[in-house]
Amino acid sequence: SNVFEKSDRGRNMAVIFGDGAGAVVLEATDEKNKGILTTKLHSDGANAEELFLEHPGSRRKERFTPDMLEKGELLPYMNGKHVFVNALKYFPEVIREALTECNLKDEDIQLLIPHQANARITVAVQKEMNLPDEKVVSNIDRYGNTTAASIPIALCEAWEQGRIKEGDLVAMAAFGSGFMWASALIRW
């Protein structure tokens, strides 16, 4: 059988992804307490196979085979429930780690821009951190999960919409494959 005729192959991941690209251009400043205040990055390889690609192109020495394709070994894998539970734990934790380092609190955030992985995760993090809707950026309903592009796209949209003002504290956070999670605090 032709594996490409199976429209549901990889559906547990494919339905959530959108297409997008984003970049942020930074400029140095001498102004105190402005710009990137801190960044945090963590990983836990013990959970790597809960959200991963078994055979990325650079990992294999031999060529891809039809058998690998038939078995689904070339498709990304996600244990959705496990990823969801860990994202709910690590998103607020890594944001608060950055806030604590800067002697700031949840309520000091003017805008939270999370990785747009799942609207339920964003809402749960928003609730956990007691942030009102106007302090949280969400565009997953329009684009899906654009993976690494989601924060730059959301940041650009927030800026274009006038949601970021001079002096605002902007918190960004991400959680993804490997498991890896990170945050950054920026004083605009």
Side-chain angles (χ1 to χ4, degrees):
S1 72
N2 184 344
V3 294
F4 293 110
E5 292 173 6
K6 298 177 182 178
S7 62
D8 64 344
R9 289 186 65 82
R11 186 180 189 291
N12 69 325
M13 296 275 293
V15 297
I16 64 172
F17 288 129
D19 188 18
V24 175
V25 178
L26 301 174
E27 181 179 292
T29 182
D30 293 326
E31 292 183 54
K32 281 231 182 250
N33 297 317
K34 195 160 190 180
I36 298 173
L37 304 180
T38 189
T39 60
K40 300 294 168 194
L41 175 64
H42 299 279
S43 66
D44 180 2
N47 288 298
E49 293 186 4
E50 301 298 334
L51 177 58
F52 82 125
L53 181 59
E54 184 177 358
H55 295 294
S58 63
R59 184 174 175 198
R60 297 193 56 84
K61 292 181 182 172
E62 66 271 11
R63 303 183 98 178
F64 296 125
T65 66
D67 184 54
M68 291 167 64
L69 188 60
E70 183 67 39
K71 290 178 182 174
E73 294 174 351
L74 303 177
L75 300 172
Y77 169 78
M78 177 174 64
N79 176 344
K81 185 175 182 178
H82 189 76
V83 171
F84 185 82
V85 167
N86 280 276
L88 292 184
K89 173 185 175 187
Y90 291 125
F91 260 104
E93 186 178 287
V94 76
I95 295 166
R96 286 180 173 141
E97 178 187 7
L99 289 167
T100 299
E101 181 179 302
C102 296
N103 296 313
L104 298 165
K105 295 181 171 50
D106 296 1
E107 57 267 20
D108 294 321
I109 296 172
Q110 273 81 42
L111 198 61
L112 171 62
I113 305 175
H115 166 51
Q116 305 291 306
N118 178 308
R120 292 184 312 142
I121 292 171
T122 298
V123 168
V125 170
Q126 174 182 355
K127 186 175 180 178
E128 162 73 20
M129 299 188 74
N130 199 29
L131 297 172
D133 290 346
E134 62 270 10
K135 286 191 169 190
V136 181
V137 176
S138 180
N139 64 15
I140 193 168
D141 60 319
R142 293 189 308 278
Y143 309 122
N145 179 350
T146 56
T147 64
S150 74
I151 291 176
I153 291 170
L155 176 65
C156 181
E157 285 188 339
W159 181 75
E160 288 173 345
Q161 294 164 0
R163 293 181 68 183
I164 304 174
K165 310 274 188 285
E166 185 82 15
D168 279 357
L169 179 66
V170 178
M172 296 175 277
F175 180 87
S177 64
F179 281 169
M180 295 187 75
W181 59 101
S183 67
L185 291 181
I186 297 175
R187 182 67 70 186
W188 202 261

